[in-house]
Amino acid sequence: MSDILLDVEDLRVRFPGLSGYTEAVRGLSFTLGRERLGIVGESGSGKSMTGRAILDLVPPPGEVTAKRMAFMGLDLLSMPHRERRALRGARMSMVMQDPKYSLNPVMTVGEQIAETWRIHNPGEAGQARERALAMLDAVRIRDPKHVYDLYPHEVSGGMGQRVMIAMVLVADPDLIIADEPTSALDVTVSMQVLAILDDLVSQRGLGLIFISHDLDLVRSFCDRVIVMYGGAVMETLNARDLDHAQHAYTKGLLNCLPRLDRVDANLPVFTRDPEWLK
Amino acid sequence: MTEKALDVRDLVVRYSSRAVVDGVSFSLDPGDSFGIVGESGSGKSTVLRAIAGLATDRSGTIDVAGKRLGAKRDLAFCRLVQMVFQDPFGSLHPKQTVDRALAEPIAIHGLGDGERRIQEALDAVGLGRGFRFRYPHQLSGGQRQRVAIARALILEPKILLLDEPTSALDVSIQAEVLNLLKRLAAERGMTMLLVSHNLAVVAHMCERVAVMQSGVFVEEAPSSRFRSLKAEHPYTQTLLDASGGFRRGLAAGLVG
Amino acid sequence: MRAATSQSWRDWLLSEAPQSRAQARAGQAYRRWRGFTENWLGVVGLVIVLTLIGMAIFAPWIAPYDPLAQNLSQRLQPVSWQHWCGTDSLGRDIFSRIVYGSRVTLLIVGLVVVTVGPLGLILGCVAGYYGGAVDRILMRVTDIVLAFPKLILALAFVAALGPGLENAIIAIAITSWPPYARVARTETMVIRNSDYIAAAKLQGASSLRIIMLHVVPLCVPSVIVRSTLDMAGVILTAAGLGFLGLGAQPPTPEWGAMIAAGREQIFDQWWVATFPGLAICIVALGFNLLGDGVRDALDAR
């Protein structure tokens, strides 16, 4: 098993509060190869905090612990924050939900991509523009030269998200964590963004962690799915086996969606069992 | 013949001289449920805001229960038409308790028996006594949306405008809120106008669905028509295809 | 037993499911208070301000001498057990004058806040809520007042109205409302586009009702913060007017005027000007710390 990018065992994230600690993630274990792994859950399930913990982006006073957290053989737990930061952006990166808040408003999008290249390749700054244009092309932007000179407010949401992906790609990472990358986009646009992410995994051999609340989307896009609730893992299964999910929570989530091909007088609702968090 | 509950003719709404809604017509009989589906910027929410009197630069006519609406909305209109907004975090006043939010319409309309009305409204949306004196920050998203629904119901309106009422909620909470809305509309014989980006939600809730793009209806049909996943207009077909999740071939056709 | 009672009180206050309007309000206030007390600088400010208020109320019992009683045989006495802060050129006890001077300071601060806060708040909310021509007219007036340096404008008003404490207060009030209007207007412009205002409109609430019951309560915290932070400035302006002889008239014990009186002896009898100066300094600092604390406590939610 040399192709394991990320190996996480018993990951926990907790926050101190007025009445003791609140656990945001309670004992998550998984391995990630060069594949699309979906993490699905509702708000408060700890899915976003999992992505942040891997990237060392948990905001203080949050505390991250784990039995093991290794990225391509590197032990992330013993690594100082400075090295984690260097790793972040270079070999593992994140695509956020809303490009509006992730792009610098006073710099053209092309320059921002070029800047990322310069940071990670200080010796080859001269190639920055060329590389940035190539990346814009790689995320299928039709006229990269034109888009290079646009400011963030001049591009649409879908275009902005593609620019974000180009910015992540220019550093040539091995792992991308996408946190709800299409939730702020219209369905038609999100299909295009997903297609680009899909290519990255199949053509460049990246590992992708796809964090989403949308079970249907994850089912159709990912290879494997982790279902989280209240910080704990309910179930891990292959995406195509989701119809045969065992856990009551997963089944409940699948059933409560309105469906075009089914007529329901009422949508099935479910109650949460406190036992799930034991 | 029965009087139309809502009749909209050639509605055009402008925001700084750009027509966001560009000639929309539809009419609803009492008790109808009608859905408008579209993507962001299609103008679907603006249709609701124009009816509610919140978007003022408009032309065309809007008749509610046979009465033509002018620029201003009077108290009688407010008792006939109420609206539930998309963002339950933004539609409740942050410094007012649930009690205060529900008492406000009673005070404005000088209705008696406030105590009973508030209690009934809370019961109707399934919130117990314990919720009455909470501030919005002490409520979850689903509970806030229930409060917003209770506030809309307290004036016993005949027409309910719903602007993406569940798009900010988790799917399991969405199911509860949709069930609640459906039950209340049926019990009280309310006419429902629902706007959403989610075709499945609209088809589940409404008898008729209009698909809106760039300010106009491109297709209008009974929701049963969409169950076969076939549509007449190519844009509707795209929405139908996308509702099934990610498909490689579908994305290839859209890349541009 | 005692601990159990206080525990249940706290639970009652912090309940997430209050049973009555009163409990909801009390709980909210208690949470604010807890937030405020976490910041010890703010508490220091509060203590200073409470001390000032206490001093003003209990001045006759605190002050060892009559603040107006002249005793020429005791003039310019240095700091001693008889006169904690020394005496001035007319032999009056400076400590007693400072204690009584707190009444003047509080009167100025109180009257200015009571007139300026609501005036700025209402003008700002009205301008922000209606927008358009109403906003343009109100804001241009605001700009005109803002364009003058505060002290100079106050000087001009006092010169026109004649010197005196009342006129000084009026002058300060006239010159210090515009920033409040600005703050309230900016907040209102965000609030008026929110869905809860749209919901209120849709319930048939009149513009007056929306402004007074929905918009104003949301702007009040920032106006309160602004005014506590501003009080230091008001005290300094009042002292400045007093120093120039345009504020409180002799023999009223006003801190600014006391500094002015001690000006000639500053090198030989330092205490005459120093103690009123210290009083101004500490009270201004107290209001500033209190203002910071209140802002942090209110911003928390």
Side-chain angles (χ1 to χ4, degrees):
Chain A
M1 287 292 275
S2 61
D3 229 20
I4 289 180
L5 281 175
L6 192 64
D7 184 3
V8 176
E9 194 186 334
D10 199 28
L11 174 70
R12 288 174 187 274
V13 181
R14 56 180 197 168
F15 288 86
L18 278 177
S19 47
Y21 283 94
T22 319
E23 284 209 293
V25 180
R26 342 171 159 223
L28 174 73
S29 304
F30 67 93
T31 56
L32 174 75
R34 299 189 179 277
E35 59 177 336
R36 291 157 296 196
L37 173 70
I39 300 183
V40 188
E42 300 187 287
S43 51
S45 63
K47 55 188 195 299
S48 291
M49 214 38 87
T50 302
R52 286 168 173 271
I54 294 165
L55 289 168
D56 193 28
L57 286 173
V58 172
E63 297 166 13
V64 181
T65 56
K67 286 214 180 83
R68 184 169 59 240
M69 186 151 68
F71 172 67
M72 297 181 85
L74 300 167
D75 181 17
L76 295 178
L77 291 169
S78 61
M79 199 181 275
H81 288 294
R82 193 171 35 83
E83 284 175 41
R84 291 284 293 272
R85 197 162 60 225
L87 202 61
R88 189 166 75 218
R91 299 182 61 191
M92 46 166 81
S93 258
M94 192 161 194
V95 178
M96 305 272 190
Q97 177 173 1
D98 202 332
K100 268 204 299 281
Y101 303 110
S102 312
L103 292 167
N104 179 348
V106 294
M107 210 170 163
T108 66
V109 296
E111 263 311 302
Q112 292 185 52
I113 301 171
E115 182 68 22
T116 312
W117 165 263
R118 283 188 212 106
I119 291 169
H120 294 294
N121 304 274
E124 297 157 281
Q127 291 181 33
R129 187 183 159 85
E130 202 181 306
R131 296 291 308 168
L133 288 173
M135 286 307 127
L136 285 173
D137 190 53
V139 295
R140 299 200 211 122
I141 283 172
R142 253 201 222 115
D143 187 356
K145 285 210 172 77
H146 170 66
V147 173
Y148 187 97
D149 291 320
L150 295 180
Y151 285 91
H153 68 91
E154 294 173 306
V155 303
S156 65
M159 179 91 83
Q161 200 57 295
R162 281 190 267 177
V163 168
M164 282 304 299
I165 295 172
M167 204 147 115
V168 162
L169 276 188
V170 77
D172 203 12
D174 294 297
L175 167 66
I176 292 183
I177 297 175
D179 190 354
E180 304 266 11
T182 58
S183 306
L185 307 177
D186 285 327
V187 277
T188 46
V189 183
S190 72
M191 288 300 136
Q192 302 165 18
V193 171
L194 289 172
I196 293 162
L197 288 173
D198 187 37
D199 285 350
L200 296 180
V201 177
S202 50
Q203 291 169 13
R204 291 179 179 238
L206 288 172
L208 176 70
I209 296 179
F210 187 86
I211 298 169
S212 175
H213 69 283
D214 190 336
L215 206 50
D216 268 347
L217 194 62
V218 169
R219 176 197 346 224
S220 56
F221 181 71
C222 294
D223 304 311
R224 279 193 308 142
V225 183
I226 297 175
V227 182
M228 287 182 79
Y229 167 71
V233 174
M234 297 293 107
E235 196 167 16
T236 306
L237 68 178
N238 285 326
R240 63 176 169 285
D241 299 332
L242 214 51
D243 280 333
H244 313 294
Q246 295 301 308
H247 200 282
Y249 180 68
T250 319
K251 283 195 236 172
L253 278 189
L254 280 170
N255 280 332
C256 70
L257 286 168
R259 299 211 170 272
L260 278 171
D261 51 9
R262 191 179 71 194
V263 188
D264 300 294
N266 267 318
L267 295 168
V269 294
F270 59 95
T271 47
R272 292 161 170 73
D273 188 345
E275 285 292 313
W276 296 345
L277 295 178
K278 289 282 161 64
Chain B
M1 70 157 243
T2 57
E3 199 171 55
K4 294 283 183 198
L6 181 65
D7 189 28
V8 175
R9 288 284 138 232
D10 307 317
L11 180 69
V12 177
V13 186
R14 293 191 164 80
Y15 279 142
S16 51
S17 82
R18 197 172 62 89
V20 181
V21 176
D22 201 2
V24 160
S25 303
F26 61 93
S27 70
L28 304 182
D29 286 321
D32 272 3
S33 55
F34 183 62
I36 304 176
V37 69
E39 301 193 324
S40 55
S42 61
K44 59 188 192 302
S45 293
T46 310
V47 173
L48 290 196
R49 297 186 86 85
I51 296 169
L54 301 169
T56 43
D57 186 3
R58 67 163 174 100
S59 58
T61 61
I62 304 172
D63 292 356
V64 171
K67 200 165 153 258
R68 176 120 334 156
L69 296 182
K72 292 256 184 264
R73 300 289 178 270
D74 55 12
L75 287 181
F77 172 85
C78 298
R79 302 188 61 161
L80 210 55
V81 182
Q82 280 297 314
M83 181 157 165
V84 175
F85 295 84
Q86 169 176 9
D87 180 9
F89 294 86
S91 71
L92 295 179
H93 195 288
K95 303 257 159 149
Q96 291 179 355
T97 58
V98 174
D99 176 63
R100 176 75 205 284
L102 297 181
E104 185 73 358
I106 297 174
I108 292 169
H109 292 264
L111 306 177
D113 214 3
E115 190 64 22
R116 182 186 56 81
R117 284 174 196 270
I118 291 176
Q119 208 51 59
E120 275 181 9
L122 283 174
D123 288 343
V125 296
L127 290 176
R129 277 213 134 262
F131 291 94
R132 181 162 165 193
F133 297 102
R134 291 197 198 187
Y135 286 91
H137 65 79
Q138 294 171 316
L139 301 170
S140 70
Q143 290 163 350
R144 287 174 195 225
Q145 202 59 304
R146 284 170 191 266
V147 173
I149 293 168
R151 175 179 60 188
L153 291 180
I154 215 155
L155 290 173
E156 295 167 0
K158 287 278 151 227
I159 301 172
L160 202 53
L161 308 176
L162 304 166
D163 186 5
E164 300 253 19
T166 59
S167 65
L169 305 177
D170 280 327
V171 285
S172 59
I173 310 298
Q174 162 173 288
E176 292 171 12
V177 171
L178 291 181
N179 286 345
L180 171 71
L181 285 168
K182 211 170 182 179
R183 176 171 62 79
L184 289 170
E187 279 173 10
R188 302 177 178 219
M190 284 188 290
T191 311
M192 186 163 62
L193 178 52
L194 169 74
V195 155
S196 175
H197 70 282
N198 188 327
L199 190 51
V201 166
V202 172
H204 169 72
M205 295 292 289
C206 303
E207 292 148 12
R208 270 193 306 144
V209 176
V211 178
M212 196 165 176
Q213 187 190 24
S214 311
V216 292
F217 287 176
V218 294
E219 187 164 353
E220 192 185 327
S223 58
S224 55
R225 259 258 311 280
F226 296 105
R227 304 212 176 278
S228 60
L229 301 181
K230 288 275 174 291
E232 278 172 10
H233 195 276
Y235 179 69
T236 315
Q237 191 61 50
T238 310
L239 288 183
L240 279 172
D241 294 343
S243 71
F246 176 70
R247 285 217 317 275
R248 203 53 247 211
L250 176 61
L254 291 166
V255 162
Chain C
M1 179 65 209
R2 181 93 180 272
T5 333
S6 82
Q7 182 62 42
S8 69
W9 264 103
R10 171 155 354 137
D11 288 347
W12 184 81
L13 283 168
L14 288 180
S15 165
E16 286 294 314
Q19 296 301 312
S20 68
R21 274 165 223 198
Q23 187 185 358
R25 280 210 199 98
Q28 191 78 346
Y30 178 65
R31 261 179 275 265
R32 290 248 174 76
W33 171 250
R34 293 244 320 223
F36 176 74
T37 50
E38 269 169 29
N39 174 358
W40 68 271
L41 277 174
V43 176
V44 169
L46 181 66
V47 169
I48 294 175
V49 171
L50 286 179
T51 310
L52 177 77
I53 294 170
M55 227 158 78
I57 295 173
F58 300 108
W61 292 276
I62 296 172
Y65 298 92
D66 181 344
L68 304 180
Q70 301 182 7
N71 185 348
L72 291 178
S73 64
Q74 290 283 312
R75 52 192 302 267
L76 296 172
Q77 291 295 310
V79 177
S80 68
W81 284 113
Q82 277 79 45
H83 301 284
W84 295 350
C85 299
T87 61
D88 65 7
S89 56
L90 294 171
R92 295 174 294 195
D93 179 56
I94 291 178
F95 178 70
S96 303
R97 287 180 65 74
I98 288 176
V99 170
Y100 275 91
S102 63
R103 291 185 163 185
V104 180
T105 303
L106 263 186
L107 181 74
I108 296 169
V109 167
L111 283 179
V112 167
V113 167
V114 165
T115 46
V116 163
L119 179 72
L121 184 62
I122 298 297
L123 285 178
C125 287
V126 168
Y129 183 76
Y130 286 105
V134 178
D135 182 37
R136 273 197 293 277
I137 293 167
L138 285 176
M139 282 305 115
R140 285 308 78 79
V141 175
T142 314
D143 286 342
I144 291 168
V145 181
L146 267 178
F148 291 97
K150 213 158 125 184
L151 189 61
I152 309 276
L153 193 59
L155 276 177
F157 276 113
V158 176
L161 298 166
L165 191 57
E166 301 76 25
N167 290 345
I169 292 169
I170 293 170
I172 296 171
I174 289 173
T175 53
S176 45
W177 63 266
Y180 295 82
R182 284 253 165 221
V183 169
R185 171 180 175 264
T186 314
E187 293 217 343
T188 306
M189 285 174 48
V190 177
I191 295 166
R192 75 163 178 202
N193 290 326
S194 64
D195 280 348
Y196 52 83
I197 296 299
K201 280 184 193 163
L202 204 53
Q203 284 160 6
S206 62
S207 296
L208 180 71
R209 188 180 180 94
I210 291 176
I211 292 176
M212 297 310 291
L213 295 182
H214 297 260
V215 177
V216 165
L218 285 174
C219 297
V220 162
S222 53
V223 166
I224 289 178
V225 169
R226 171 92 215 181
S227 55
T228 36
L229 288 172
D230 239 20
M231 281 181 203
V234 170
I235 293 170
L236 290 177
T237 311
L241 290 175
F243 183 84
L244 295 169
L246 297 170
Q249 293 303 299
T252 315
E254 196 275 324
W255 296 347
M258 286 166 71
I259 298 180
R263 182 172 50 165
E264 279 147 32
Q265 297 97 13
I266 188 89
F267 295 111
D268 304 316
Q269 286 86 28
W270 56 270
W271 55 87
V272 182
T274 303
F275 287 110
L278 264 180
I280 292 173
C281 183
I282 290 170
V283 170
L285 181 72
F287 275 116
N288 263 333
L289 292 177
L290 178 66
D292 272 343
V294 171
R295 180 183 54 202
D296 293 348
L298 292 178
D299 273 358
R301 189 75 66 196

